[in-house]
Amino acid sequence: MVLTSRFSLRATTLAVAAASAGLSLNASASMGNLGTTYGVMPVDVATAQSLSMFNEQVSATYYNPSYLTSDERGELTGGILHAEQELRSSRSDADGDIVSDSPSQHVLIGMKTNLASLTRFKHPIYLGFIAGVEKYGKEMLAFSSETSETGQYLQYGKEPLFLNIGGATPLWRGISGGFSVRVTLEAAAQLDAVSTLGGETSRERLAVNAEPSLKSILGTTVKWGDTLCPESDCFLDGWESAVTYRTKSSASTAVDSNIIVTQTIPDPGLSLAVATIDSFQPETITFGTQYKGDGWRVGGSIEQQNWSELEDEFSGDTIKDQEDVSASNRIGFDDILVPRIGGEYQLNRNFAVRGGLAYEESPLKTTRNPELNYLDTDKIVAGLGISATYERTRLLAYPVRLDLGYQYQQLQDRDFTIVDFDGNEQQATADGDIHVISGSITLKF
């Protein structure tokens, strides 16, 4: 975790910094995550998440857990995702315009299975989970929260641990329901030390605890033909609709430290408390529908993301510290609607292609945010992908499926006022380009 703020305690700065050094791990993070920023699996990436509510793969545990019932077979999926980003802010007083170009690199694994054999009722009960770890599995718990005088992007960065687990079951005539939880961490650290003014510490004591926080995801899917005319053909055959609800979530860290500085600050010492959040995900309600024809399908969804709740979260954040900012200068957020549309076509028994489009408005309402200087813009998202299914293998009983997905995000120009720590203002124009490629292999059992 990296905790960056400004303190006016000149005499104790070195002591606190030296005693706190053991808590620091350099990482870049933001108010975004793998599932909403890019897409979890290649199908989600390639369709700009427009068909994610009807994805038969294990990413359904995040987008629509009820769709785990769409395939009776078990599944084991492994994948990788690499996102190259160039996030820019053009300013007349800056040597360059690139704010961030560090890639996001995830390795993913997921599994789905039918637990019906555990019961006497033989009613299908599906369990699924999916996990993603940053830096191709090497970075699990990095954390960053900071103020900035040059600008930082709101939604792009790293969220090392992505974890969802849930289940689903058919309810009645083409209607299924599902429930899952998104797991985030609430970390707490207690630091006690004695230090000299030169930063030499002794009698250090450090305790760190991380507790999981479970946030609910609910989903319901209706196959209209099976529900309304189960025993005959009708015009509703092929139509499916789904509704999902995700509660808000975020990672959080709290650090309490007590420092005694010899000859300067006697016992009980200087107490310093820091509490901050990261990787905020808004409360989201999504409605989607699709039509499946003979070897093809089209569909779309619309999401309501309630970002205005982030204002309350920031009010209790000691780093982002909006309580001490005048009401007119506090950061503001809007609730937004995100439309998505996509389609898929089966070329033959072995190959399928897909694509999708989305337009995402920026939830950041204010363009002048002293201390934080967050940047965020509207964006156009486009994706393409392909699947290859190998039906006959020498060892496996079921087909093996390979997926590739590509996504391009174009961040539209938006003007901001950057305010440095001395109160000087400078106009800046934010924009950017993001390229995402994702691949996976899926085994059925």
Side-chain angles (χ1 to χ4, degrees), residues 16-229:
V16 174
S20 302
L23 292 176
S24 298
L25 290 174
N26 190 20
S28 173
S30 63
M31 300 296 154
N33 84 345
L34 172 70
T36 53
T37 304
Y38 307 117
V40 178
M41 286 296 178
V43 172
D44 310 310
V45 171
T47 63
Q49 301 178 50
S50 59
L51 299 180
S52 294
M53 299 181 74
F54 308 101
N55 188 353
E56 297 179 352
Q57 295 177 301
V58 290
S59 61
T61 57
Y62 180 74
Y63 293 109
N64 177 17
S66 66
Y67 217 69
L68 290 170
T69 63
S70 60
D71 190 340
E72 296 180 353
R73 296 170 297 179
E75 175 183 316
L76 179 64
T77 299
I80 58 172
L81 179 145
H82 181 91
E84 285 284 346
Q85 56 190 28
E86 185 175 286
L87 308 176
R88 299 181 292 267
S89 175
S90 302
R91 295 169 49 187
S92 59
D93 65 335
D95 295 334
D97 62 353
I98 297 178
V99 176
S100 175
D101 60 359
S102 60
S104 182
Q105 302 165 325
H106 276 262
V107 61
L108 299 135
I109 187 169
M111 189 180 72
K112 181 190 78 171
T113 189
N114 187 350
L115 301 179
S117 59
L118 296 177
T119 70
R120 294 180 180 274
F121 305 104
K122 302 302 180 182
H123 183 78
I125 302 174
Y126 298 91
L127 176 69
F129 82 90
I130 187 164
V133 181
E134 181 65 62
K135 215 170 182 178
Y136 298 142
K138 297 179 181 179
E139 198 170 81
M140 294 184 66
L141 298 177
F143 190 98
S144 174
S145 181
E146 61 184 323
T147 54
S148 172
E149 63 176 347
T150 58
Q152 57 180 321
Y153 269 79
L154 178 72
Q155 296 192 60
Y156 291 94
K158 298 179 181 179
E159 192 217 13
L161 181 63
F162 180 86
L163 181 60
N164 264 86
I165 183 169
T169 187
L171 299 177
W172 179 75
R173 285 194 349 197
I175 301 175
S176 58
F179 171 79
S180 67
V181 292
R182 173 165 149 68
V183 183
T184 59
L185 294 179
E186 296 181 352
Q190 176 66 47
L191 171 66
D192 299 299
V194 175
S195 175
T196 66
L197 284 175
E200 296 180 4
T201 62
S202 60
R203 287 179 279 171
E204 302 96 335
R205 184 178 63 181
L206 174 65
V208 180
N209 294 300
E211 297 181 356
S213 177
L214 307 180
K215 303 300 181 180
S216 302
I217 302 175
L218 302 171
T220 301
T221 301
V222 179
K223 298 182 178 180
W224 294 105
D226 294 344
T227 303
L228 299 180
C229 39

Side-chain angles (χ1 to χ4, degrees), residues 5 8-9 18 64 98 110 134 147 184 255 260 263 297 363:
S5 190
S8 60
L9 303 172
N64 177 17
I98 297 178
E134 181 65 62
T147 54
T184 59
V255 179
I260 297 173
Q263 300 179 344
R297 61 173 176 153

Side-chain angles (χ1 to χ4, degrees), residues 275-347:
T276 188
I277 66 163
D278 196 85
S279 302
F280 175 83
Q281 293 301 293
E283 178 186 56
T284 303
I285 302 171
T286 308
F287 172 78
T289 190
Q290 75 165 2
Y291 178 77
K292 297 179 71 173
D294 186 12
W296 58 276
R297 61 173 176 153
V298 293
S301 65
I302 187 163
E303 297 178 12
Q304 176 171 320
Q305 300 179 359
N306 296 328
W307 283 90
S308 58
E309 298 173 336
L310 185 53
E311 296 177 18
D312 295 332
E313 297 288 337
F314 274 9
S315 65
D317 193 310
T318 59
I319 290 181
K320 301 175 177 72
D321 197 15
Q322 295 295 288
E323 279 295 309
D324 295 334
V325 178
S326 63
S328 60
N329 284 327
R330 289 179 185 174
I331 194 168
F333 296 91
D334 286 324
D335 298 336
I336 61 172
L337 291 175
V338 181
R340 308 180 191 273
I341 188 170
E344 181 179 272
Y345 183 73
Q346 193 76 32
L347 297 173

